[in-house]
Amino acid sequence: MGNPAQLRDTFGRLHDNLRVSVTDRCNIRCYYCMPEHEVQFVPREEILTFEEIERFVRLAVSLGIRKVRVTGGEPLVRRNLHLLIRKLAAIPGLTDLALTTNGVLLREQAEPLYEAGLRRINIHLDTLDRNRFLRITRRDDFDRVLEGIETCRRLGYDPIKLNAVAVKDLTEPDVVPLARFGREKNIEIRFIEFMPLDAQGLWLRDKVLLADDIVQTISSEVCPLIEIPDRDPRAPATEYRYADGGGTVGFIASISKPFCLNCNRIRLTADGKLRYCLFAIEETDVKGLLRGAATEEEIARIIAEVVAAKWEGHEVNTARFVAPPRPMYAIGG
Ligand code: SF4
């Protein structure tokens, strides 16, 4: 297993980034993620407690994890989330703590989360058009998200990033307004290529709005974009800066430019399954270990084994591709 303080897979990739989903529940219904009705959620008693999550993260940090991103479903629907953030922010060796949210509950929760130690936040917003927001999310919470963003700006969150899922024939009209919004608010917009992770199998390759096409649109209609060289190759986003110094834009091009060869991420689901990849078919239960008599060494060994078993990368662009049995909301971004 090499240096015990390092989680390295058989491709030599060092894993220092853990995504922790704290719930599969959500207060909106993005059509490319979950059905509008009759969503199958995990029974509450199967969801890891804050203490179990904290114990797992401490262990993972002792093995070399340095960054944790808290996700969902929608993490802010988990009651008293700031208590977990405070626990995680206090773990020695955890140098980077971030959260991804749909922003609907941010107006109320941004301050307690900030006081608990959170500074980095990604807010998911695909459009600046209220009607399209309603069409995509099937909820009329557009204003709440904008208020949440303003609350985070006022409190001094840094960086604040907006994650926008880019879907052809739906969100193209939002590319330029979002780019302008980011320049105006000094917020980095991240365009995410549509991935085959929705619960209803709606994904189609020709619905993927490609990162390169978005770069061209912004460069011709807003300001030329220049790719930032030598960025951290393990970071999922390709970063560009505006030629006039007006900020940066990120692209997560999982379909057109997969970045698996530098992947440094593993994921813990809300119900305690450890996954070595967003698209993984297999997963390993750690809830039983956390709730049973397993020792720290045994859990640590399982974490290392999961990383050691990691595949080369997703197979979305191959004939072998099989969608994971879990949809996005039950994995966490
Ligand atoms: S698809 Fe899987 S292997 Fe590839 S970058 Fe994402 S998590 Fe890593």
Side-chain angles (χ1 to χ4, degrees), residues 13 259-260 263 265 267 276-279 310-311 313-314:
R13 296 171 294 195
F259 35 84
C260 304
C263 183
R265 293 168 293 284
R267 289 173 161 82
Y276 55 57
C277 171
L278 185 57
F279 290 93
K310 181 164 180 164
W311 61 9
H314 74 62

Side-chain angles (χ1 to χ4, degrees), residues 150-169:
E150 286 311 317
T151 306
C152 288
R153 293 181 70 228
R154 179 174 54 74
L155 288 165
Y157 275 86
D158 183 27
I160 301 172
K161 298 182 179 176
L162 280 194
N163 289 358
V165 176
V167 183
K168 223 178 218 168
D169 305 330

Side-chain angles (χ1 to χ4, degrees), residues 219-329:
S219 291
S220 58
E221 296 187 35
V222 181
C223 175
L225 283 172
I226 301 163
E227 185 170 347
I228 301 175
D230 313 326
R231 63 183 182 86
D232 176 357
R234 299 170 314 146
T238 305
E239 306 265 351
Y240 287 71
R241 63 178 176 78
Y242 286 107
D244 67 356
T248 57
V249 183
F251 297 87
I252 299 181
S254 312
I255 307 301
S256 64
K257 297 177 185 167
F259 35 84
C260 304
L261 291 182
N262 291 307
C263 183
N264 62 340
R265 293 168 293 284
I266 52 175
R267 289 173 161 82
L268 179 67
T269 67
D271 59 340
K273 301 291 187 293
L274 191 57
R275 302 171 57 83
Y276 55 57
C277 171
L278 185 57
F279 290 93
I281 306 298
E282 59 186 357
E283 55 192 27
T284 302
D285 179 65
V286 293
K287 182 177 58 220
L289 302 170
L290 291 165
R291 291 185 178 178
T295 63
E296 307 306 78
E297 289 69 29
E298 284 165 339
I299 302 173
R301 185 170 46 74
I302 296 292
I303 299 173
E305 283 173 6
V306 166
V307 171
K310 181 164 180 164
W311 61 9
E312 191 169 9
H314 74 62
E315 300 183 322
V316 174
N317 299 324
T318 74
R320 294 185 303 280
F321 177 64
V322 177
R326 265 178 198 265
M328 182 64 133
Y329 70 87

Side-chain angles (χ1 to χ4, degrees), residues 22-23 32 51 53 66 72-73 152 165 172 268 311:
V22 295
T23 182
Y32 51 68
E51 291 68 28
I53 294 171
R66 291 290 166 266
C152 288
V165 176
E172 275 117 317
L268 179 67
W311 61 9

Side-chain angles (χ1 to χ4, degrees), residues 10-30:
T10 56
F11 300 93
R13 296 171 294 195
L14 182 64
H15 289 68
D16 64 357
N17 192 320
L18 170 67
R19 307 281 170 105
V20 176
S21 168
V22 295
T23 182
D24 59 349
R25 279 130 175 101
C26 188
N27 49 0
I28 62 176
R29 293 285 181 273
C30 299

Side-chain angles (χ1 to χ4, degrees), residues 43-332:
R44 286 191 194 286
E45 62 278 11
E46 298 303 322
I47 301 267
L48 294 182
T49 65
F50 288 169
E51 291 68 28
E52 288 164 343
I53 294 171
E54 182 195 5
R55 181 180 173 207
F56 183 88
V57 172
R58 269 184 197 286
L59 261 172
V61 169
S62 75
L63 295 172
I65 292 291
R66 291 290 166 266
K67 300 179 178 190
V68 165
R69 177 171 291 278
V70 174
T71 68
E74 167 49 37
L76 301 196
V77 302
R78 180 93 192 242
R79 211 170 295 140
N80 296 325
L81 185 69
H82 62 283
L83 300 180
L84 175 66
I85 294 293
R86 194 176 296 283
K87 287 174 187 290
L88 299 181
I91 296 176
L94 180 54
T95 56
D96 190 337
L97 181 58
L99 178 133
T100 302
T101 169
N102 64 28
V104 171
L105 297 173
L106 260 186
R107 189 182 61 191
E108 296 81 7
Q109 296 192 33
E111 192 149 357
L113 291 167
Y114 191 88
E115 281 162 8
L118 188 68
R119 294 294 179 271
R120 286 164 61 85
I121 199 159
N122 288 46
I123 302 160
H124 169 210
L125 182 65
D126 302 331
T127 177
L128 291 171
D129 178 279
R130 170 193 303 282
N131 294 324
R132 223 174 355 268
F133 182 94
L134 189 56
R135 203 170 132 208
I136 294 170
T137 68
R138 298 170 290 196
R139 295 289 184 277
D140 193 15
D141 290 317
F142 178 64
D143 291 341
R144 292 182 62 83
V145 178
L146 292 187
E147 287 161 15
I149 294 169
E150 286 311 317
T151 306
C152 288
R153 293 181 70 228
R154 179 174 54 74
L155 288 165
Y157 275 86
D158 183 27
I160 301 172
K161 298 182 179 176
L162 280 194
N163 289 358
V165 176
V167 183
K168 223 178 218 168
D169 305 330
L170 181 67
T171 62
E172 275 117 317
D174 299 297
V175 168
V176 170
L178 281 168
R180 293 208 169 107
F181 182 82
R183 285 164 61 91
E184 183 197 317
K185 304 283 181 183
N186 189 25
I187 288 175
E188 180 176 300
I189 309 295
R190 297 187 142 201
F191 293 97
I192 303 174
E193 289 184 346
F194 182 23
M195 292 181 276
L197 288 164
D198 65 291
Q200 303 145 100
L202 298 174
W203 185 83
L204 293 169
R205 190 169 294 283
D206 61 12
K207 287 290 176 202
V208 178
L209 184 52
L210 300 175
D212 283 350
D213 296 341
I214 303 174
V215 169
Q216 260 183 12
T217 302
I218 295 175
S219 291
S220 58
E221 296 187 35
V222 181
C223 175
L225 283 172
I226 301 163
E227 185 170 347
I228 301 175
D230 313 326
R231 63 183 182 86
D232 176 357
R234 299 170 314 146
T238 305
E239 306 265 351
Y240 287 71
R241 63 178 176 78
Y242 286 107
D244 67 356
T248 57
V249 183
F251 297 87
I252 299 181
S254 312
I255 307 301
S256 64
K257 297 177 185 167
F259 35 84
C260 304
L261 291 182
N262 291 307
C263 183
N264 62 340
R265 293 168 293 284
I266 52 175
R267 289 173 161 82
L268 179 67
T269 67
D271 59 340
K273 301 291 187 293
L274 191 57
R275 302 171 57 83
Y276 55 57
C277 171
L278 185 57
F279 290 93
I281 306 298
E282 59 186 357
E283 55 192 27
T284 302
D285 179 65
V286 293
K287 182 177 58 220
L289 302 170
L290 291 165
R291 291 185 178 178
T295 63
E296 307 306 78
E297 289 69 29
E298 284 165 339
I299 302 173
R301 185 170 46 74
I302 296 292
I303 299 173
E305 283 173 6
V306 166
V307 171
K310 181 164 180 164
W311 61 9
E312 191 169 9
H314 74 62
E315 300 183 322
V316 174
N317 299 324
T318 74
R320 294 185 303 280
F321 177 64
V322 177
R326 265 178 198 265
M328 182 64 133
Y329 70 87
I331 301 171

